[in-house]
Amino acid sequence: MTSSASTAGGEGGSMESCNDAEIDGIFALTPDLDRGAELFEKSCGKSTCHGPDGVSGNGPDFVNVLPKYDDCWQMKIMLKGKKGMISLNLIYMSDQDFRDALAYVRETFPF
């Protein structure tokens, strides 16, 4: 199930530049939601992270926290980490993995 999930610029995958060549390059990739679901379950959906439902884990929940931030900010956090969240680069995710995971989160937990 490949999809162009909504991004910072709106529906359909079109968005303004994040003013970061690495992040803009990731958003230029076509997301694969099935792969994103696998990555979420394996890396983010644990109770020590965001939980399988995006709200029951120890990390920020996707309903109350993430709606405040755009995709550029969320991708930056995924890449670099922030207060209690490790950089997902440390678990050897590819650029395509990052694109797939964020697209899955946006599609599954709309905010």
Side-chain angles (χ1 to χ4, degrees):
M1 158 183 9
T2 301
S3 168
S4 53
S6 74
T7 58
E11 296 296 323
S14 72
M15 64 179 287
E16 300 293 321
S17 170
C18 292
N19 295 317
D20 181 304
E22 179 181 22
I23 292 174
D24 289 340
I26 292 170
F27 281 122
L29 300 170
T30 301
D32 179 326
L33 295 178
D34 291 333
R35 179 74 178 128
E38 292 172 18
L39 290 163
F40 180 84
E41 183 178 319
K42 176 178 150 187
S43 303
C44 313
K46 309 288 185 200
S47 63
T48 55
C49 293
H50 301 285
D53 58 1
V55 298
S56 63
N58 294 329
D61 72 73
F62 293 151
V63 174
N64 296 305
V65 176
L66 294 186
K68 299 174 187 175
Y69 303 101
D70 67 17
D71 285 358
C72 295
W73 182 88
Q74 291 176 39
M75 185 61 71
K76 182 177 178 181
I77 298 307
M78 289 172 69
L79 290 168
K80 302 181 186 328
K82 181 181 177 164
K83 293 184 186 175
M85 180 177 157
I86 64 165
S87 163
L88 295 179
N89 271 331
L90 296 176
I91 58 173
Y92 309 108
M93 288 177 66
S94 69
D95 286 354
Q96 185 66 56
D97 291 342
F98 283 111
R99 182 67 181 110
D100 296 345
L102 185 55
Y104 171 77
V105 166
R106 279 294 194 184
E107 210 45 49
T108 305
F109 309 102
F111 32 84

